[in-house]
Amino acid sequence: MKIGVFICHCGENISSTVDCPRVADVCRTYTGVEYSVDYKYMCSDPGQNLIKDAIHKYNLDAIVVGSCSPHMHERTFRNAAVSAGINPFMVEIANLREHCSWVHDNIEAATRKAIELMRMAIEKVKRDKPLTKIKVPITKRVLVIGGGIAGIQAALDTANAGYEVVLVEKEPSIGGHMSQLSETFPTLDCSQCILTPRMVEVHQHPKIKLMTYSEVERVEGFIGNFKVTIKKKARHINEDKCSGCGMCITKCPIKKKAYNSFEEDLAFRPAVYVPFPQAIPNIPVIDETVCTYYKTGKCGMCVKVCDREAIDFGQKDTIHVADVGAIIVATGFKLYNIDKKSADSKYKGYGEYGYGKYRDVIDGLQFERIASASGPTSGEIKRPSDGRVPKKIAFIQCVGSRDDSKGISYCSKICCMYTAKQAMLYRHKVHDGEAYIFYMDIRAGGKMYEEFVRRAIEEDKVKYIRGRVSRIYEEDGKYIVKGEDTLAGMPVEIDADMVVLATAMIPQDGAESLARTIGIPYDKYGFFNEAHPKLRPVESTTAGVFLAGACQSPKDIPESVSMASAAASKAIILFANDTLEREPVVAKVNEDICAGCFYCMKVCPFGAVEVKDVKDINGIVYKEVAYINQGVCQGCGTCTATCLSKSIELAGFNNEEIFAEIAAL
Amino acid sequence: MKYGYFPGCSLTSSAKEYDISLRKVIDKLGISFDEINDWSCCGATSAHVTNHKLSTALAMRNIMLAEQQGLDNIIAPCAACYNRLIISQNEIGKHTGIRKETEDLLSVKFKKDVKVFNILELFLKSGLNKIIENRKRELSELKAACYYGCLLVRPAAITKFDDAEEPESMEKIVEATGADTVDWNYKTECCGAAHSIARRDIVVDLSKKIIDDAITHGANVMVVACPMCHTNLDMRQRAMKRKYPDHKEFPVLYLTELIGLSLGMDEKELGIDLHYTNFKYADTLLNNSAKG
Amino acid sequence: MDKQNWEPKIAAFVCNWCTYTGADLAGTSRLKYPANCKIIRVMCSGSIDPVFILKAFERGADGVLVSGCHPNDCHYNAGNFHARRRWDFFHELLDFIGIEKGRLQFSWISASEGKKFADVITKVTEDIKAMGPFTAYKKMNSEFTIDFPEEPSELPEPEFQENSDKETE
């Protein structure tokens, strides 16, 4: 093997503490080194030409460059090597700048260390093997999980680019939280009015397969080649026959046994229902838990009134499998339930606020429903307890958010804005009403956001009090809100008729288990982790899985929509090629010595290890060995260290190469 | 399990009846305890606002004594003592500097992790069943407002056994005695505490609010587990009466006294007659039900 | 050996994503640390085989540092958890066979902790210096020692294979 060694001075960055000519001289004495040279700027065009010329002239098989960190210029030198006809993986970089010249003062010590680093790299390159990039085919179809505004946007963008989309939503209708909102900040346009056309577009789009009332059960495979198992829950309505006339809903005798979750439990719904009138698809669902038929076998009123015979009490959950190339996760958020007695919350509630005890202490989404023209009060601001118009409302921000003692340290980001909006809406609807807002800080970063808050204060006379609320209790039909005005340095008490709590945004139920199903990491709150907080904000660390909306962190509508479009374009970029090229740094099993213990399977973070049958000449299986799916493997090498029989090697970092480096220490 | 008993200064003076009733009740319920020999001030009030080192050392001295006496647990009935002991213990656990300083001051090394309990924890731990089983008197006509004050379940980060803002452990204990509890608003509001001496007017106003809220919510007795709270709510009712002539005397009992009543002990035995307010108006109620 | 002028030889096995990048940051920040430590880059701390460490000792290292991403920050989601489990156990084992625990050190250094990297290297170097040269393996394996700079020939490949097989059996 003929090796070329190239030592870069990096101007004076390396040569000021490392004697580069001496390093080159010593390297020249090593076995296998055919050519060794130092140069002022190896990464410059003349520097690269020097490498290329040397490769041609000396017929080199491999090169070692002593320069800056491989994270800087590995690609540069590999490309240079490729253009001179050497495999890019026959290039090793010794980090003489970040790890040597910049961190040491003593020229002798630094030079010796540089020589040793070079020696290690030379020993490694001797054992490097030419590798070729792996090609995997791509299924050009996207799975979008979640049918809120983020999921809708991602689905539409991908579909409009000409790719098929499977949109899975666990509720009976798409629309998500945005469909519940009354008006949106900072423009105060009606949420339903801007959302409904999008929902209809999804429904009618020939490229989008909409699966509502469905959940993702299993995800197998890898980027470009996922196989997804989806459970479609039984609606007990034949979707092909149902015309959405709503007769069954009108005639259902069970009117008051179940709360309407779309109305945030402020209203009842029948046993057969659509979540809201504009639901997409407009097909009802029968709630088995309250329907009389499932209890007594009687009633069947819906069957009688349905002239299309669409009611199917015997309908079962069905399982569907979809092959997709990319997954966009857009599962969104829910509000932290501060009811102390609530069992589903992993966080401690605020018992002292009386949420759950006092009916007029409500959360932000409940207020949205009260303020919504399509809500239970037809848009009139009324108290849930007695239907009176509240003359004084206290809004409390940061309930849960930014409170370490409750386990949520982050800012929910949207509450400052929506509280200002809600107070504004209230003042528009109840002219003699007083609105008080308890806040910690006003975070109104965004286009027209600060102006909006100023408008609430200046035009709509919303009274902002900077301070926390310690307690809310009922006295003579009023809610006494005790808090502190930290700017005045005084305790305050407000006798409000209604209290609205801006509770923290937390990940949607089941987010963590979904993350485990897909194989993406999540943070301690259950928000999905992006691959890089700044430079790869819409990708997960699992290749081919993208994130959109509030499932990644609290977000408002414009941010969710932009993230959704970004996720869609990531998928579209992926689909621009027919096959996928990726780094060949993957693990491979030596089947001859694999003992079949499958410890590797247990430690693989990506589920890349499969069981493979080894057959004898007669086609009879005589042993099972591990097989690593090259498309799924991300090349961490955890399996190689775990393997007892040392039958797994990570390409580019195999044991032989590392041992050579160690030996050259 | 044997408990160490740390009465603190209040229980030997202004809250003598707390001490009396506690000893009686504990004895009846078969919980045994040893008073800590040569116990001293817990480091509350004057010490902890003026000299941090002293307040920690005073508290740790008592814990050290318990340790030397071979005790694993201490009961501190006074809310302030309890607070001082757990906070000091927590601090020396967290900061090696403070630990070393305190150890040097006391010329000892802390070895064991002595657990400090207040009255609520004691009854919750030793089992409410014991109270229910030994009930001799029907108290269902008593509607108790359980008052926690500021210290009993705080600081939340250390005490942990109950929600600091919306506690309900005392309600559980009171309900075990057979008395009813009311849901009211002021259970953790300030009674005025040590302002009792210098600014009695503040205490009168604050304590009056607490009592009024209890009455509004249908209570006919208030239950407390803190000597300071009791002093303010009980003793200051005379001053309340002077300032608010329509104020009606409202009985304030220690939790241990209420338990004692349910176990069949009489007022004198429990020291209820030492209170400033009269419990007599509920006499008939108690006597009647005792017969039944 | 002249203990006065003796400089320890330390091998650092670090993951590509966090600690290697952290070491780069130490460089870009021009932080200074002793030149005794040489980095061997692997993709993930989870891929560091205990045999690598034994090999390093065998080949003349006086100390070994293993460093990866902080728990929960692993580029591969969980590799460092496996590493942590493995090292807890392996550390005890080293102690048992008579290699002082301090010769093998662990740390979590993220890509943003250049200062921590420099501090850790400095501390490890000082610790190893205080312990003195590690000779146990060197005596056993004197026949394998590669003299520098007069390296005789290419390293015999099969030897490594055999050795690694033997040790893992």
Side-chain angles (χ1 to χ4, degrees), chain B residues 36-281:
Chain B
I36 296 171
N37 296 327
D38 193 33
W39 58 265
S40 60
C41 173
C42 65
T45 320
S46 26
H48 86 260
V49 295
T50 51
N51 189 332
H52 181 254
K53 209 189 280 190
L54 174 66
S55 67
T56 309
L58 280 170
M60 289 314 295
R61 178 179 181 272
N62 294 304
I63 292 178
M64 173 203 83
L65 289 174
E67 193 182 316
Q68 287 171 355
Q69 222 168 304
L71 298 161
D72 296 325
N73 307 291
I74 302 176
I75 317 169
C78 167
C81 298
Y82 169 69
N83 193 267
R84 277 317 309 155
L85 295 184
I86 53 165
I87 288 183
S88 304
Q89 206 175 29
N90 195 270
E91 276 185 349
I92 70 146
K94 269 193 187 150
H95 308 287
T96 42
I98 299 178
R99 185 192 189 97
K100 187 154 184 317
E101 190 179 76
T102 314
E103 284 179 340
D104 289 350
L105 268 173
L106 298 172
S107 320
V108 286
K109 281 255 181 281
F110 303 118
K111 291 184 207 87
K112 268 199 297 188
D113 191 18
V114 180
K115 295 248 171 349
V116 182
F117 299 112
N118 68 13
I119 286 297
L120 301 183
E121 285 175 287
L122 171 72
F123 288 120
L124 288 177
K125 273 185 95 67
S126 63
L128 298 176
N129 275 343
K130 276 192 189 166
I131 300 177
I132 296 167
E133 282 159 16
N134 290 301
R135 239 154 52 181
K136 291 271 159 48
R137 189 181 267 133
E138 180 61 43
L139 295 180
S140 64
E141 282 181 55
L142 282 184
K143 307 266 179 286
C146 298
Y147 177 67
Y148 295 78
C150 57
L151 284 180
L152 209 54
V153 290
R154 288 203 182 94
I158 302 174
T159 57
K160 285 187 184 137
F161 74 94
D162 203 349
D163 187 330
E165 301 297 337
E166 188 73 3
E168 44 200 14
S169 48
M170 202 193 299
E171 272 86 350
K172 284 185 200 147
I173 301 167
V174 168
E175 275 156 21
T177 68
D180 238 352
T181 55
V182 298
D183 185 10
W184 64 308
N185 300 326
Y186 275 62
K187 48 168 102 164
T188 58
E189 291 299 301
C190 178
C191 68
H195 282 303
S196 206
I197 313 298
R199 289 290 304 273
R200 192 190 293 178
D201 54 325
I202 293 178
V203 170
V204 165
D205 286 353
L206 290 175
S207 296
K208 167 79 177 151
K209 270 192 183 173
I210 293 168
I211 291 173
D212 283 355
D213 190 70
I215 295 171
T216 318
H217 286 86
N220 54 19
V221 64
M222 189 171 301
V223 183
V224 299
C226 167
M228 191 81 239
C229 299
H230 191 267
T231 307
N232 286 345
L233 293 168
D234 178 58
M235 184 171 83
R236 293 294 171 225
Q237 285 199 30
R238 284 187 191 180
M240 279 178 214
K241 180 95 184 153
R242 270 202 295 279
K243 190 164 175 188
Y244 305 97
D246 59 342
H247 176 77
K248 285 215 175 62
E249 207 174 63
F250 189 71
V252 183
L253 292 185
Y254 282 109
L255 178 62
T256 44
E257 291 171 339
L258 183 79
I259 298 172
L261 288 172
S262 86
L263 298 180
M265 299 169 197
D266 68 32
E267 287 170 71
K268 276 225 159 56
E269 220 179 325
L270 293 163
I272 297 178
D273 55 332
L274 297 174
H275 293 182
Y276 285 80
T277 51
N278 211 335
F279 194 57
K280 284 276 152 47
Y281 89 97

Side-chain angles (χ1 to χ4, degrees), chain A residues 1 10 54 103 132 159 261 410 413 452 464 474 479 489 492 559 566:
Chain A
M1 176 179 266
C10 196
V103 288
T132 39
S261 56
Y410 57 85
K413 210 175 182 180
F452 184 78
Y464 275 78
E474 194 180 359
Y479 297 96
V492 281
E559 276 186 313

Side-chain angles (χ1 to χ4, degrees), chain A residues 30 69-71 95 98-99 102-105 113 116 119 123 127 541 603 605 636-637 641-642 646 656 659, chain C residues 16 20-21 23-24 27 31-35 37-38 43-44 47 49 55 76-77 82 86 148 151 155 157:
Chain A
Y30 291 142
S69 169
H71 291 169
N95 191 339
E98 281 84 350
H99 291 190
W102 275 351
V103 288
H104 306 311
D105 292 324
K113 179 171 170 182
E116 285 161 358
R119 185 174 51 176
E123 288 305 325
R127 285 152 187 86
T541 51
V603 300
C636 68
T642 309
K646 290 287 157 272
E656 203 188 323
F659 284 144
Chain C
N16 180 48
Y20 194 90
T21 318
D24 279 357
L31 303 169
K32 303 294 175 204
Y33 55 80
C37 190
K38 269 144 279 168
M43 292 311 278
C44 178
S47 75
D49 195 317
K55 271 282 170 201
Y76 303 103
N77 305 348
H82 294 297
R86 200 178 292 141
F148 171 78
E151 194 188 343
L155 295 168
E157 285 180 25

